[in-house]
Amino acid sequence: MAVAASAAPGALGTLQASRARLVAACCARLGPRWRLPGSWTCPRVDSTIWARGWTPAAGGAAWQRGYSAEVKTEDELRVRYLEEENRGIVVLGINRAYAKNSLSKNLIKLLSKAVDALKSDKKVRTIIVRSEVPGIFCAGADLKERAKMSSSEVGPFVSKIRAMINEIANLPVPTIAAIDGLALGGGLELALACDIRVAASSAKMGLVETKLAIIPGGG
């Protein structure tokens, strides 16, 4: 018993170190100024350029927006399989800049489809959920879309959000939420469904439903 007790701190330290290395490797390609405790620092990009979403135009012309208000529905979720030393890491990038990455019917469908495929892929070791839009992780449910729904449609829509979040929570591999900017309502519940949350200094989180005296319904 004494031997087991004395070995426990060492085992815990090894586990914590392994987890820290995993998070450091996963965050290395997530964006500017991601920093973890210790000596790991990820690549930097000028903060002003990143925050505004500007990228260099072709041919060295003036700077232009890195995203558009007109995003094809299939591009609202970008699934990337990392290669080389990061092989086995899959990044799910939410890309609805014009709607603050809010959860719409189409985005829920894309997330559910992606998660369903990943949970049976034996080559996947880790999944990262992040935003492709600077300054916003996810603003929760798409309330503009919901306002157009009939009362009979709202219940099934919320149920689909809950089912998708539960699917992420039950994935057989470690999941990491990389939070940059706002994570509100269902967006925060999405992050809470992940095993690990890594937040930028700009991150702001909240369950804003409580201001309306209702409980969060997504997770």
Side-chain angles (χ1 to χ4, degrees):
M1 294 292 291
V3 173
S6 62
L12 179 59
T14 301
L15 177 60
Q16 291 175 335
S18 298
R19 187 175 73 169
R21 285 194 295 270
L22 171 63
V23 175
C26 293
C27 291
R29 299 188 182 184
L30 293 182
R33 297 190 299 173
W34 284 91
R35 183 184 294 274
L36 295 170
S39 59
W40 296 293
T41 304
C42 297
R44 290 177 176 269
V45 176
D46 182 86
S47 58
T48 303
I49 294 172
W50 178 270
R52 295 178 181 175
W54 294 90
T55 53
W63 291 82
Q64 62 183 11
R65 283 284 183 179
Y67 54 83
S68 170
E70 299 297 329
V71 177
K72 295 180 180 179
T73 55
E74 63 269 22
D75 291 334
E76 291 184 351
L77 181 69
R78 296 176 178 174
V79 182
R80 290 185 290 139
Y81 292 77
L82 303 189
E83 298 294 338
E84 300 176 356
E85 70 273 12
N86 294 320
R87 185 181 299 275
I89 299 174
V90 180
V91 179
L92 301 180
I94 305 174
N95 186 44
R96 298 191 76 217
Y98 61 95
K100 299 186 184 299
N101 281 354
S102 56
L103 300 171
S104 64
K105 288 182 178 180
N106 182 64
L107 181 56
I108 294 299
K109 178 181 177 181
L110 294 174
L111 281 166
S112 296
K113 183 178 179 180
V115 170
D116 189 57
L118 292 172
K119 67 183 179 183
S120 59
D121 190 339
K122 301 300 182 182
K123 296 181 180 179
V124 175
R125 298 184 293 115
T126 305
I127 297 171
I128 300 172
V129 181
R130 61 156 292 177
S131 169
E132 299 289 330
V133 183
I136 182 74
F137 177 73
C138 177
D142 190 333
L143 298 182
K144 289 183 179 180
E145 182 182 71
R146 184 184 294 187
K148 299 177 183 178
M149 298 180 188
S150 65
S151 57
S152 62
E153 292 177 304
V154 174
F157 173 67
V158 174
S159 295
K160 287 180 180 179
I161 295 179
R162 185 180 300 119
M164 180 273 295
I165 289 178
N166 286 335
E167 287 173 2
I168 291 177
N170 294 326
L171 280 167
V173 297
T175 52
I176 301 172
I179 305 172
D180 172 30
L182 297 175
L184 304 176
L188 178 55
E189 293 179 88
L190 175 61
L192 290 172
C194 296
D195 299 307
I196 301 172
R197 285 152 295 282
V198 182
S201 59
S202 62
K204 292 184 179 180
M205 310 173 210
L207 296 172
V208 295
E209 300 92 331
T210 55
K211 289 185 178 181
L212 302 175
I214 59 177
I215 63 172

